[in-house]
Amino acid sequence: MAKLAILGASGHGKVIAEIAELNGYHVEFFDDAFEVKSKLEHWSVVGDSEALAQRLDNYEGVIVAIGNNQIRKEKLEKLLALGAKTPALLHPSATVSKLANIGGGTVVMAGAVINAFAQIGRGSIINTNTTVEHDCFIQDYVHICPSSAIAGGCKIASGVWVGIGSSFKQLIEVGELAIIGAGSVVVQNIPAGVTAYGNPARVVKD
């Protein structure tokens, strides 16, 4: 059985571990709090990130299970520089078009829908029951939280956080590192590096 290493022994990691097992992987966890996290439910935590870096050849793939976009980026890029393989993980109940493109290290959770010609970058999280419509371009290290809906042709830049239950009308663009608050309705472009929320979503903080 192929072995998958997951960096991040957390609740998010447990969800990813189940998806990995449904895809036929044997899972082992690593965490930088290894000394206090020797077990996660029925999975073993076998070392910290330095131990993982030394054992990459033992694994067919690595997923970084850290919700914070910036930390996930830092950890994954260090592993990539060491030659880690980072498959995309798709829950079997997700509906992903054969014409979509999913980057390495990205996880697509249960019930998500990704339609034709959508592009998802590296190390992103497309969370439970989220819809990414046709021709969307979602860059690297984005987290789209559960039950969000991204209409066709939207562009979401790297490092963006989209809060739970948000929706975007077609052709919206969101700049790097922006934060979209939970339940927002996004009907106009959002610039980089701001926090926006509401219905309609408005910038509330630079």
Side-chain angles (χ1 to χ4, degrees):
M1 181 180 289
K3 292 173 68 177
L4 184 81
I6 298 178
L7 179 59
S10 63
H12 179 56
K14 290 190 284 188
V15 176
I16 290 175
E18 182 183 32
I19 295 172
E21 289 183 344
L22 289 169
N23 279 274
Y25 286 103
H26 170 75
V27 170
E28 291 182 348
F29 273 97
F30 292 79
D31 195 283
D32 285 332
F34 165 62
E35 292 184 2
V36 296
K37 290 184 177 181
S38 60
K39 198 81 173 169
L40 183 67
E41 305 299 340
H42 62 269
W43 295 285
S44 298
V45 183
V46 299
D48 59 14
S49 58
E50 293 301 319
L52 174 57
Q54 294 168 13
R55 302 180 199 174
L56 286 176
D57 290 344
N58 296 339
Y59 298 96
E60 280 70 30
V62 176
I63 296 288
V64 177
I66 296 173
N68 181 287
N69 292 338
Q70 189 59 38
I71 297 173
R72 187 169 68 259
K73 176 181 178 180
E74 291 169 3
K75 298 289 187 182
L76 185 56
E77 292 193 348
K78 284 181 182 178
L79 292 167
L80 287 167
L82 294 170
K85 292 169 280 190
T86 56
L89 273 186
L90 313 180
H91 193 284
S93 72
T95 301
V96 179
S97 169
K98 293 180 180 179
L99 301 175
N101 187 6
I102 312 296
T106 286
V107 179
V108 180
M109 304 293 194
V113 176
I114 300 177
N115 274 323
F117 298 103
Q119 298 182 62
I120 314 293
R122 171 187 296 161
S124 290
I125 301 166
I126 309 301
N127 224 314
T128 310
N129 291 330
T130 282
T131 298
V132 178
E133 270 296 347
H134 63 88
D135 300 297
C136 286
F137 181 33
I138 295 174
Q139 294 186 355
D140 300 338
Y141 308 110
V142 170
H143 188 163
I144 300 181
C145 290
S147 300
S148 295
I150 316 297
C154 290
K155 296 180 180 178
I156 298 180
S158 61
V160 169
W161 176 281
V162 176
I164 190 169
S166 295
S167 58
F168 293 65
K169 83 174 185 67
Q170 69 274 17
L171 305 177
I172 289 294
E173 297 187 13
V174 180
E176 280 191 356
L177 302 177
I179 297 171
I180 308 299
S184 294
V185 178
V186 185
V187 297
Q188 61 185 5
N189 293 343
I190 303 296
V194 304
T195 297
Y197 65 82
N199 180 6
R202 294 186 172 87
V203 174
V204 294
K205 184 169 67 174
D206 291 332

